[in-house]
Amino acid sequence: MTVSLPLVFDAPRRGMPPRHLADLDAEGRRAAVEELGLPKFRADQIARQYYARLQADPARMTDLPAAVREKIGDALFPPLLSVVKHVACDAGETRKTLWRAGDGTLLESVLMRYPDRATLCISSQAGCGMACPFCATGQGGLNRNLSTAEIVDQVRAAAAALRDGEVAGGPGRLSNIVFMGMGEPLANYKRVVAAVRRITSPAPDGLGISQRNVVVSTVGLAPAIRKLADEGLSVTLAVSLHTPDDELRDTLVPVNNRWPIAEVLDATRYYADKTGRRVSVEYALIRDINDHPWRADMLGEKLHKALGSRVHVNVIPLNPTPGSKWDASPKPVEQEFVRRVNAQGVPCTVRDTRGQEIAAACGQLAAEN
């Protein structure tokens, strides 16, 4: 299976929403308020409302003069995302949100509450162009990239919902972000990196979530992995490998036709060397496709050789998607696979999957309404 993939990771701004406060860095915010004829200090004042107080409606920013709120709203707070619906499971502690962007584009995010943390899985694109055949998002194709602000606002909205007690379990705090929703994050590179900086910078520049609690996932865009390593960030890189041999991966992850496993692992090793961070390898276990004992052995051997102790394998039981011919591996096969990877000196565990019954688990997001 051959898929045409762009050589340049950042597509033009075509179809993007108008400029929003969250698209701007500190210098850009100051320039924007000066364009409005306002003093520079208003830039940080507005940003603190958005990032610290999680307020996105200028009409409610009561420390701003009433006379300028509408002007600020028009210039810096265009409509971004509106809730189409929430769907919940796990006694309300897992909540999937279907969003509609200003141009009608649909996307999804998933908020998962655990005893020790609250994790938000966010989308970086509407749809996905990577065409992995076992993933509902990939099979739907790519609609467009999301803007930096559309990515960030998923996080702001979830943080506000937790703070205000809208999620089962009472008021809480958003602690972890995973770029594992719709889309290939590194195919929207510039905006994703900007979003990471907004998410992790302290107010007034961002939401103040620790970089070490942010995971950026990729199917293996090797040059972009290397570029990310040079950004000076401390986020966790997650590489969706799904098989250790190129022959099968060419089919399961078509981008492998351009950047094969050896090149992906070389870039991953560069990331680990440069950042000092342990890398996560994601492996969707599919019955009779990639769950063979010899593949477990090969996976462990290759990862140990490339990364030593700086890698952890997350085995993900395949989540069902409409029309898929594939299924999850039986538990005994899954357990043997994990055992064999661990035997190669590579830590390997089965991920606790949430949201399968509401099509909110890995590979199930399709933004259907």
Side-chain angles (χ1 to χ4, degrees), residues 263-297:
E263 195 170 344
V264 172
L265 291 182
D266 190 59
T268 302
R269 181 171 58 246
Y270 179 78
Y271 187 90
D273 288 344
K274 192 81 176 190
T275 65
R277 299 285 288 154
R278 186 174 70 167
V279 173
S280 176
V281 166
E282 312 297 298
Y283 199 105
L285 207 60
I286 310 171
R287 182 195 295 260
D288 299 328
I289 299 295
N290 65 350
D291 61 356
H292 310 95
W294 67 266
R295 282 197 162 95
D297 295 341

Side-chain angles (χ1 to χ4, degrees), residues 233-248:
L233 298 170
S234 297
V235 300
T236 297
L237 176 71
V239 179
S240 297
L241 205 62
H242 303 313
T243 188
D245 55 306
D246 285 316
E247 183 178 9
L248 178 58

Side-chain angles (χ1 to χ4, degrees), residues 20-22 24-52 55 61 63-65 68 72 76-77 202-206:
H20 185 279
L21 179 87
L24 305 174
D25 59 14
E27 185 178 345
R29 291 196 306 270
R30 286 191 290 271
V33 299
E34 284 190 293
E35 287 173 14
L36 297 175
L38 301 174
K40 284 184 180 181
F41 76 87
R42 294 289 183 205
D44 281 358
Q45 193 175 29
I46 297 165
R48 286 187 187 280
Q49 283 280 356
Y50 182 81
Y51 290 118
Q55 180 57 256
M61 296 180 182
D63 58 349
L64 297 175
V68 303
I72 289 169
L76 292 175
F77 291 91
D205 297 317

